[in-house]
């Protein structure tokens, strides 16, 4: 496709969030238009040479076309992309859509970006209702990490094989060891950690995160090599998924900015959010107000880890003002997921933070007499 991709450039850092507000019903009227999916651009961290493809679940029952659809877009002209089915050549802004087995490797000779999604995802035992479009960006292998936390939404329990509150882990290297520990919504461990061995690059593990029942229960995922983590979330049968961002160290962002969720008619939609912070005391501010003071929801420590979970929703924070701005700040890096959710209406989810605070690209300023350079 020549006209489906967006390349956005700016003179200073910006955040780009794509939200799909569409209908599930052929011959739709305004009564069937709803929020389907949300994609948060990873910016330069989303550009890469190598990707492992995947979706949030391995049972594709209820997916339009029977499989998720992958897209790769070139940033530069004459980019050769090697897909499982063979090489293709793309120019800047051109996209190519394809299907492939989970864990397949996609490589390129120049940086590209990738997304994954489904035209319609009808999970679990919902009588055929709740069909949602899904989409998110895939992270290149170079941006992946070895520590993640996944938090459960409010999806229906239903059929365990297909309900959306589940997570996929993909190994990027052979002989990857995964340690998985689950916690309840109070941060209490649900048992001894589980060890999972993934023998090959592209091997994967699919599981139901948290306690598989309660919202805000969670799972901690650690590995000895970089892994990709993709996680589904829902409200009842309304479904979306996110590429999960790693936590710890320099990952996350100290300034996160987006806007409230609205429908096609500019009416406000409900949402919930969770914040992961590696600090017991550093405050987190929403539009300048301490979020724990504002909502009365105190942070919860996740087991014996150094990570804490802070939760809020549109009801606990009250009015976001005429502009509907959501600005989260802290002295410590934050990993933030915001999920728009309303039963039988819509679901849009994304991580509104980053893989890490990236340094500005260096500029060559001096070539020294000894042939060294100063940046």
């Amino acid at each position: 496709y020549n006209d489906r991709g967006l390349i956005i450039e700016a003179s200073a850092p910006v955040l780009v969030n794509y939200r799909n507000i569409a209908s599930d019903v052929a011959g739709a009227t305004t009564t069937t238009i709803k929020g389907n999916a949300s994609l948060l651009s990873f910016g330069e961290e989303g550009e890469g040479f190598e990707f492992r493809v995947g979706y949030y679940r391995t049972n594709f029952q209820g997916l339009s076309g029977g499989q998720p659809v992958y897209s790769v877009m070139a940033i530069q002209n004459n980019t050769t992309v090697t897909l499982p089915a063979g090489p293709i050549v793309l120019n800047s802004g051109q996209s190519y859509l394809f299907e492939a087995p989970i864990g397949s490797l996609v490589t390129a000779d120049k940086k590209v970006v990738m997304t994954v999604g489904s035209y319609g995802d009808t999970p679990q035992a919902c009588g055929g209702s709740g069909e949602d479009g899904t989409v998110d960006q895939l992270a290149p292998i170079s941006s992946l990490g070895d520590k993640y936390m996944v938090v459960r939404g409010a999806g229906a329990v239903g059929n365990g094989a297909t309900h959306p509150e589940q997570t996929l882990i993909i190994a990027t290297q052979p002989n990857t060891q995964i340690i998985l520990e689950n916690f309840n919504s109070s941060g209490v461990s649900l048992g001894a950690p589980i060890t999972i061995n993934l023998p090959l690059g592209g091997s994967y593990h699919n599981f139901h995160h948290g306690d598989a029942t309660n919202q805000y229960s969670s799972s901690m995922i650690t590995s000895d090599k970089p892994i990709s983590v993709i996680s589904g979330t829902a409200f009842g049968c309304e479904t979306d998924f996110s590429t999960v961002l790693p936590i710890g160290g320099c990952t996350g962002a100290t300034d996160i900015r987006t806007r409230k969720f609205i429908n096609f008619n500019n009416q406000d939609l409900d949402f919930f959010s969770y914040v992961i912070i590696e600090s017991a005391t550093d405050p987190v501010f929403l539009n300048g107000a301490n979020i724990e003071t504002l909502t009365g929801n105190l942070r919860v420590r996740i087991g014996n880890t150094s990570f804490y979970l802070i939760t809020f929703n549109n009801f606990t924070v009250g009015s976001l003002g005429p502009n509907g701005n959501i600005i989260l700040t802290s002295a410590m890096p934050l990993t933030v997921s915001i999920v728009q959710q309303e039963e039988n209406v819509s679901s849009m989810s994304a991580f509104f933070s980053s893989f890490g605070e990236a340094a500005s690209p260096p500029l060559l300023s001096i070539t020294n007499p000894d042939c060294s350079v100063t940046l």
Side-chain angles (χ1 to χ4, degrees):
Y1 291 107
N2 293 312
D3 58 351
R4 307 298 174 92
L6 296 174
I7 297 178
I8 297 168
E9 296 176 295
S11 59
V14 296
L15 180 144
V16 179
N17 179 212
Y18 168 88
R19 297 173 185 177
N20 173 35
I21 300 175
S23 176
D24 300 330
V25 181
T29 66
T30 55
T31 60
T32 62
I33 295 175
K34 63 182 187 178
N36 271 280
S38 174
L39 178 153
L40 198 288
S41 172
F42 297 147
E44 291 177 346
E45 294 171 326
E47 302 172 6
F49 299 100
E50 294 182 307
F51 298 78
R52 290 282 180 183
V53 303
Y55 198 56
Y56 75 91
R57 57 185 172 106
T58 56
N59 183 317
F60 296 152
Q61 179 182 337
L63 281 190
S64 175
Q67 291 191 63
V69 176
Y70 302 102
S71 173
V72 58
M73 186 180 78
I75 303 169
Q76 301 178 52
N77 289 333
N78 198 30
T79 298
T80 299
V81 182
T82 303
L83 305 174
I88 59 170
V89 178
L90 299 174
N91 289 322
S92 177
Q94 286 187 321
S95 301
Y96 189 84
L97 276 63
F98 64 98
E99 296 173 344
I102 285 179
S104 296
L105 181 66
V106 174
T107 63
D109 65 344
K110 299 174 185 175
K111 285 187 176 182
V112 296
V113 292
M114 289 197 65
T115 60
V116 58
S118 173
Y119 300 115
D121 187 335
T122 311
Q124 64 212 21
C126 291
S129 66
E131 182 176 319
D132 254 346
T134 59
V135 66
D136 204 10
Q137 195 167 349
L138 286 174
I141 291 175
S142 59
S143 291
L144 299 175
D146 56 12
K147 185 177 294 183
Y148 298 80
M149 193 168 87
V150 178
V151 179
R152 195 186 192 281
V157 176
N159 182 345
T162 59
H163 80 69
E165 296 288 345
Q166 55 183 295
T167 296
L168 182 76
I169 302 169
I170 306 174
T172 62
Q173 299 177 28
N175 302 315
T176 297
Q177 185 179 83
I178 308 294
I179 306 296
L180 177 63
E181 186 173 5
N182 299 318
F183 304 88
N184 67 17
S185 56
S186 299
V188 177
S189 176
L190 297 174
I194 301 167
T195 300
I196 299 152
N197 293 302
L198 300 178
L200 303 172
S203 296
Y204 54 84
H205 176 70
N206 194 202
F207 71 101
H208 301 288
H209 47 255
D211 62 9
T213 303
N214 296 297
Q215 187 175 20
Y216 299 131
S217 58
S218 60
S219 298
M220 184 73 74
I221 305 163
T222 57
S223 63
D224 60 350
K225 299 180 179 72
I227 53 175
S228 173
V229 178
I230 305 170
S231 184
T233 188
F235 192 99
C237 294
E238 303 300 331
T239 303
D240 200 10
F241 72 91
S242 296
T243 295
V244 184
L245 301 185
I247 59 174
C250 299
T251 60
T254 57
D255 188 325
I256 297 160
R257 297 167 181 257
T258 187
R259 298 194 67 202
K260 64 183 178 181
F261 289 90
I262 58 174
N263 66 10
F264 76 100
N265 205 25
N266 293 320
Q267 296 174 322
D268 291 357
L269 296 173
D270 297 338
F271 68 87
F272 83 90
S273 177
Y274 61 85
V275 177
I276 302 168
I277 184 170
E278 197 170 9
S279 170
T281 56
D282 278 88
V284 178
F285 299 96
L286 172 65
N287 297 343
N290 185 308
I291 197 165
E292 292 174 272
T293 303
L294 177 65
T295 64
N297 294 342
L298 301 181
R299 69 189 67 194
V300 173
R301 186 180 181 185
I302 303 302
N304 294 321
T305 73
S306 57
F307 296 97
Y308 292 79
L309 186 70
I310 303 173
T311 63
F312 65 93
N313 58 40
N314 58 295
F315 300 106
T316 57
V317 300
S319 173
L320 295 172
N323 295 322
N325 290 331
I326 300 174
I327 302 175
L328 290 159
T329 57
S330 178
M332 287 289 290
L334 307 174
T335 300
V336 176
S337 174
I338 306 177
V339 184
Q340 180 279 312
Q341 295 188 323
E342 293 190 27
E343 182 65 79
N344 297 323
V345 179
S346 49
S347 177
M348 297 183 277
S349 68
F351 277 87
F352 287 79
S353 38
S354 66
F355 289 93
E357 298 281 12
S360 299
L363 299 176
L364 176 64
S365 58
I366 299 174
T367 300
N368 301 311
D370 63 355
C371 298
S372 65
V373 296
T374 299
L375 301 181

